[in-house]
Amino acid sequence: MKTNFEYLMKLHPCFAAGAKNYKGRVHLPVSPGCNIFCKFCKRSFNDTVNRPGVARGIISPSEAVETVRKAVALCPDITVAGVAGPGEPLATPYALETFRLIKKEFPDIIKCMSTNGLLLPDYAEDIIEAGIDSLTVTVNAINPDIQARICEGIVYGGKFVAGREAAEILIANQLSGIKKISGAGITVKVNTVLIPEINAGHVTDVSKTVAEHGASIFNIIPLIPQHGLSWCSAPDCGLISKARTEAEKYIKVFRHCQRCRADAAGIPGSRDISRMIYITPVIPE
Ligand code: SF4
Ligand code: SF4
């Protein structure tokens, strides 16, 4: 199936706006672990909290395919199958395995993945081969000093790397990965978490740089102050709006993100079918 940005604008609920915003997505929580340590990240397993990083449990790639079957039967407006956590999809093999299986059984469904980008250069070929149509990369800073205040460190090449050195590796891999993936014709969306006390004055630079590397759309996500960044404030509407207006000088800006759970299913902000499809989740120990 041929997909490009214009096609995604018509059929992907997160790209479409206004009247087109009636399409659905199913998030498949197949990715348990992560390879970086964002200070604001609080992953958890429950049935109630509505935010990224939360799921009822982890499912296997074959359970994920079964979940897509159930989801499209219940909600035929679902056009997208995505992996967005609760951990990092490239830190374990399950997300790519899931997409390979989905590609075989549902050749027309749009395949979407969210990554922190650390391993993007290593897995770019696999992402292309798995048929992923849309990739979201979370880039919170392109200045290593700022990034080091947001993320404590990374696990890279089997070693823990901390601080500025970790930030340099992460940023370099995110940008070269975005270039590689967008160069292959895959639409790249960049998410940036807006943290008033840390990166508010830097978001425009991020938008400009990721656009130069081939990203097509930019999503500014307001910080949920928690975990290691509970001392920060949630940005107010004025700050979010200002950041979006500034970023829009360089890249198309996405404005209606619902900050979905890692097992969200249905139509964002309207129909939720997740309780009907995730019946026997497995809570990791
Ligand atoms: Fe959490 Fe995602 Fe950051 Fe990993 S990349 S620490 S899962 S927010
Ligand atoms: Fe779309 Fe935002 Fe939900 Fe992701 S979190 S599926 S971008 S609305």
Side-chain angles (χ1 to χ4, degrees):
M1 181 180 64
K2 170 117 182 73
T3 43
N4 53 32
F5 188 60
E6 284 68 37
Y7 184 82
L8 292 172
M9 290 289 284
K10 285 198 193 105
L11 286 179
H12 192 309
C14 308
F15 288 79
K20 295 185 211 92
N21 196 17
Y22 54 84
K23 297 293 178 192
R25 47 79 186 99
V26 53
H27 280 176
L28 305 161
V30 294
S31 303
C34 192
N35 47 14
I36 75 172
F37 298 87
C38 300
K39 292 185 182 174
F40 54 76
C41 178
K42 192 175 166 199
R43 271 169 281 156
S44 66
F45 294 96
N46 64 63
D47 201 19
T48 48
V49 179
N50 228 348
R51 61 167 175 79
V54 178
R56 289 168 180 84
I58 299 293
I59 56 174
S60 69
S62 58
E63 286 168 331
V65 178
E66 178 56 26
T67 301
V68 178
R69 275 185 213 124
K70 284 187 204 160
V72 295
L74 280 164
C75 181
D77 289 327
I78 285 181
T79 50
V80 175
V83 177
E88 158 58 27
L90 295 177
T92 48
Y94 312 121
L96 288 172
E97 203 179 319
T98 299
F99 286 120
R100 288 187 198 106
L101 296 173
I102 290 176
K103 185 180 171 188
K104 268 191 215 147
E105 187 166 333
F106 303 95
D108 288 335
I109 207 158
I110 295 168
K111 291 173 287 306
C112 200
M113 188 174 91
S114 288
T115 173
N116 61 36
L118 178 65
L119 297 178
L120 258 191
D122 294 346
Y123 285 103
E125 298 308 325
D126 301 80
I127 289 169
I128 297 163
E129 172 265 323
I132 290 171
D133 303 293
S134 156
L135 186 80
T136 297
V137 188
T138 300
V139 181
N140 294 323
I142 42 120
N143 174 330
D145 291 320
I146 297 175
Q147 175 61 31
R149 296 180 63 201
I150 302 172
C151 179
E152 278 172 22
I154 62 175
V155 175
Y156 192 60
K159 279 192 300 199
F160 177 75
V161 185
R164 198 177 196 282
E165 190 188 348
E168 281 173 3
I169 297 169
L170 179 62
I171 294 165
N173 287 5
Q174 288 171 329
L175 294 178
S176 67
I178 290 170
K179 201 168 179 181
K180 222 165 172 177
I181 293 291
S182 60
I186 296 172
T187 296
V188 175
K189 167 162 136 315
V190 167
N191 281 353
T192 297
V193 179
L194 175 61
I195 309 166
E197 288 80 0
I198 300 179
N199 69 354
H202 180 58
V203 170
T204 315
D205 294 342
V206 177
S207 68
K208 182 170 184 284
T209 302
V210 298
E212 286 165 359
H213 285 75
S216 301
I217 190 159
F218 194 61
N219 182 17
I220 295 172
I221 300 182
L223 174 77
I224 300 173
Q226 59 184 9
H227 198 54
L229 293 190
S230 52
W231 61 274
C232 293
S233 50
D236 61 25
C237 293
L239 188 61
I240 299 168
S241 175
K242 184 169 172 276
R244 285 176 174 158
T245 305
E246 285 291 312
E248 217 149 37
K249 292 179 188 159
Y250 303 102
I251 188 167
K252 197 170 169 43
V253 171
F254 170 72
R255 289 173 186 269
H256 51 279
C257 182
Q258 307 282 326
R259 299 193 290 194
C260 305
R261 290 168 55 101
D263 60 0
I267 300 173
S270 137
R271 188 170 177 213
D272 179 2
I273 60 159
S274 60
R275 282 189 173 77
M276 294 153 87
I277 56 173
Y278 292 111
I279 294 163
T280 53
V282 179
I283 309 287
E285 289 180 7

